[in-house]
Amino acid sequence: MTGSPPPGPGIPQPEPAVGASVRDTVLDRVGVVMGQEGPYLQLRPLSGGREWDADPSRVRLLSPAELLSARVAEANARSRRDGC
């Protein structure tokens, strides 16, 4: 077994580091931590774009499988949009 299980409900998690891939559970969006502004994390979509603020207590780190899935979904969306 690799890693440790995620903390249970009510157990605070450490804030993700800059560069970490996370899911904003409020907006159900995936992004990369770009920094912190006041009490909020600054997140940016994986493929770049406009940042948004997220409550650190409402984000969770992505597993490697979740990150791969999110990157594939973005590549597929880009392919459909660009007609490639």
Side-chain angles (χ1 to χ4, degrees), residues 26-67:
V26 173
L27 299 177
D28 196 29
R29 292 180 67 186
V30 172
V32 176
V33 177
M34 302 305 292
Q36 187 167 356
E37 183 70 33
Y40 297 103
L41 293 176
Q42 300 284 293
L43 304 181
R44 177 172 285 165
L46 295 177
S47 59
R50 188 173 180 159
E51 292 182 2
W52 76 94
D53 294 338
D55 181 342
S57 69
R58 304 298 299 260
V59 300
R60 66 173 184 77
L61 291 172
L62 293 181
S63 71
E66 290 172 314
L67 178 57

